[in-house]
Amino acid sequence: MIGRSAFLFLALVNLSLTGVGAVQVRNKVNPIRRVVNLLQEMAKKIAEEGEQEAALYKNFECYCRTTSKELKTNAEEGTARITESTSKIQAGESILVELKTVIEVSQVSRKEAKQALASAGALDGKGASAFDAESSDLAANIDALTRAIAALEKGVSGSSFLQSHIGSAIRKVAMSSEKVSDSDRSTLLSFLSSGDRQGYAPQSGEIIGILKQLKDEMSEDLAAAQKEEEDRKANHAGLIAAKEEEIATLT
């Protein structure tokens, strides 16, 4: 009994050991299988990377097409802006040349306006002096003629008339005035030289007529000279105002 039991026990142990060995053999990885598995994993990884690279390439290609189009558009717009800027620069240079010319002309005009202003001032002074001299002379002659006419009309005698300053003034008028004709000048000088001699009274009427005519003509000349002086002053004032405005504009 004991021997049989021992035999059975040994048989069971052997079977157990045999089963464990079989399991270990089955669980042990085959080297070839490992290589195959590794290659399969690499192939799968390469395929995945290829898909990723294809997607990246597609995106990059789309980006390149879009960017290329944008760059082309930007280049065309840049070229157009350069052309426009070049035209503006050329136009600006032309305007600058014109402005320089205008400035030069303005400077010359301003200088001429100042010279004209100075000349106008000098001419105004000369005109005023000429008027003063002419008007003073005419006024003095008219006054002398007025006094002479009044004296002769009152019957002042020849000697007293000739010795007065009025007689001297009439002699001066007769000798120097362009208004006195040669005939009237001869008559006046003859009258002024007669004194108290006979014939004074008959001549006085003719002399008074000559003196009145001279007075009227000289009065007209004085009025004309005064009107001319007023016009000259007005023209001078207008010229001064215009030149001053021109100078201010050109400054």
Side-chain angles (χ1 to χ4, degrees), residues 195-240:
D196 288 328
R197 289 178 296 178
Q198 188 177 5
Y200 167 79
Q203 286 183 338
S204 62
E206 182 181 2
I207 297 302
I208 291 173
I210 294 173
L211 296 180
K212 284 185 176 180
Q213 182 179 355
L214 284 175
K215 178 185 175 182
D216 291 341
E217 291 178 355
M218 289 185 177
S219 296
E220 291 176 359
D221 289 346
L222 179 59
Q226 290 172 338
K227 178 63 170 59
E228 184 178 350
E229 177 64 7
E230 290 177 359
D231 293 341
R232 187 194 64 77
K233 286 183 177 180
N235 292 334
H236 174 73
L239 176 62
I240 294 299

Side-chain angles (χ1 to χ4, degrees), residues 148 152 158-159 161-163 166-175 185-197 200 203 207 211:
L152 292 174
S159 59
F161 177 80
L162 294 175
Q163 292 173 2
I166 299 175
S168 299
I170 296 302
R171 182 182 295 276
K172 181 181 178 182
V173 171
M175 294 293 294
R185 181 177 292 107
S186 177
T187 301
L188 285 173
L189 292 176
S190 176
F191 167 75
L192 293 172
S193 301
S194 64
D196 288 328
R197 289 178 296 178
Y200 167 79
Q203 286 183 338
I207 297 302
L211 296 180

Side-chain angles (χ1 to χ4, degrees), residues 128-141 221-222 224-225 228:
S129 297
F131 169 74
D132 290 341
E134 181 182 8
S135 61
S136 296
D137 188 53
L138 286 171
N141 290 339
D221 289 346
L222 179 59
E228 184 178 350

Side-chain angles (χ1 to χ4, degrees), residues 13 24 31-32 57 67 70 73 76 83 89 93 103 125 133 139 142 156 169 175 177 191 213 216 231:
V13 170
Q24 290 178 348
I32 295 175
Y57 176 79
T67 304
E70 291 178 353
T73 301
E76 291 174 350
T83 302
I89 291 172
E93 290 176 347
I103 290 173
I142 291 170
V156 177
M175 294 293 294
S177 177
F191 167 75
Q213 182 179 355
D216 291 341
D231 293 341

